[in-house]
Amino acid sequence: MYVVLGASGRVGGEAARALIECGAAVRVVLRRQEQGERWAALGAEVAVASIEDANAMADALKGASGAFLLNPPPLKGDPYARTEILGAALADAARRAHLPKAVVLSSIGAQHASGTGVIATLNRFEALLGGVAPATTFLRSGYFIETWSEVAETVISESVLPTFLDPAQKVPMVSAMDVGHAAAALLCEEWAGNRIVELGGPKDWSAGDVAAAFAEVLGRPIKSLLVPSEQRAALLSQEGVPAEVANALLGMYVGIANGLFMRQNESEHRRGATSLTEALERVVSLGI
């Protein structure tokens, strides 16, 4: 039995589906019972628990041969304080459940304790969950291609790709589909101790490459437009992003610009199979 957190999200959902498709028994952990109907229809067991509730989470993890764990994206409040609470509760739950194997979602760049904005929360999350199971893998993902869905409407309507990334700077990017499949594959592997696996797409891409891929999907020229740093906070505020979360997100883009969103030489490096164009076709067609 594999337990998957975050099945209502992109990566957790892909991981759970991949495990189910290969015939594994799966238990998804969700915050609300009504979210579980479609998973039950696919044959998954459904547990309802909040990550910060160590008692409920320990029950959800009991009997698992492995689990996919994550720190959900921050929506409000202080992301750093929230990571301390969630990480401590999840580590306590995993130890009480005697979890034998864990794959923990993290990010490329998580080796840095500061200078990377919201990614630094994953540095702390890794520290809190290190050794949480006799076999623990930190799956450090590249920048999710699906994040570009946040500006897809502007791309489609105005033929312009607004970006906080330098259009010429290539960085590790990867589809959430590949991250979920990698998490499922890792859960089925055998290893001992802690390890780090860093995952990117078939190659690294820039915002300029993203604009070119959107152009291919839409069949017309798309221009990338770097949003000046002094305008970014106001844009996020207009989108309803709380100030503390916005500051953490903007810090991530500063870290990327400063070259901190880089793989570690001593880590295991893997690449997904989904191309930039394929992932963006899905973004446009499904509106995700």
Side-chain angles (χ1 to χ4, degrees):
M1 167 75 73
Y2 293 111
V3 173
V4 177
L5 272 60
S8 58
R10 291 169 180 159
V11 175
E14 293 291 345
R17 278 188 288 271
L19 288 166
I20 291 169
E21 287 170 4
C22 74
V26 173
R27 179 188 299 146
V28 296
V29 183
L30 304 168
R31 293 184 68 90
R32 297 187 301 276
Q33 186 66 48
E34 61 268 23
Q35 295 174 320
E37 292 180 3
R38 64 190 182 99
W39 291 108
L42 292 174
E45 184 179 326
V46 177
V48 178
S50 297
I51 294 178
E52 61 268 27
D53 185 341
N55 291 327
M57 193 59 63
D59 287 340
L61 292 172
K62 280 182 182 175
S65 54
F68 175 64
L69 310 177
L70 49 69
N71 184 16
L75 300 177
K76 61 182 179 179
D78 181 349
Y80 306 98
R82 176 175 169 276
T83 295
E84 291 289 338
I85 294 169
L86 296 186
L90 189 53
D92 180 36
R95 291 190 175 98
R96 280 201 270 158
H98 303 291
L99 185 67
K101 183 193 300 182
V103 173
V104 182
L105 182 62
S106 186
S107 171
I108 289 175
Q111 65 267 32
H112 302 290
S114 62
T116 57
V118 70
I119 295 175
T121 65
L122 296 173
N123 174 277
R124 182 58 184 155
F125 196 62
E126 288 189 11
L128 290 166
L129 270 69
V132 74
T136 303
T137 290
F138 295 104
L139 176 56
R140 291 184 180 173
S141 165
Y143 188 95
F144 290 161
I145 297 172
E146 288 77 8
T147 302
W148 296 102
S149 65
E150 297 168 6
V151 294
E153 185 176 333
T154 299
V155 174
I156 294 168
S157 63
E158 301 179 22
S159 296
V160 172
L161 175 77
T163 173
F164 291 0
L165 295 175
D166 183 329
Q169 182 184 10
K170 292 188 184 293
V171 298
M173 293 189 198
V174 65
S175 171
M177 294 185 291
D178 286 340
V179 181
H181 281 259
L186 286 166
L187 281 172
C188 296
E189 294 179 6
E190 297 297 331
W191 75 94
N194 288 348
R195 68 171 175 168
I196 295 171
V197 174
E198 297 185 310
L199 181 71
K203 59 182 180 178
D204 293 351
W205 292 297
S206 66
D209 294 326
V210 173
F214 265 121
E216 183 178 346
V217 171
L218 298 173
R220 64 177 188 270
I222 302 296
K223 180 182 179 181
S224 60
L225 178 65
L226 180 63
V227 178
S229 58
E230 62 271 17
Q231 297 178 12
R232 297 174 184 177
L235 284 175
L236 292 178
S237 179
Q238 290 171 14
E239 294 295 322
V241 180
E244 287 180 305
V245 175
N247 287 338
L249 292 173
L250 292 174
M252 176 184 71
Y253 288 101
V254 171
I256 292 173
N258 289 337
L260 299 182
F261 193 66
M262 300 290 289
R263 300 174 180 84
Q264 285 186 293
N265 290 334
E266 60 270 27
S267 301
E268 181 182 342
H269 299 163
R270 298 188 183 185
R271 289 192 177 273
T274 305
S275 71
L276 187 55
T277 301
E278 181 184 352
L280 292 178
E281 281 178 341
R282 188 168 180 259
V283 166
V284 171
S285 64
L286 300 180
I288 60 174

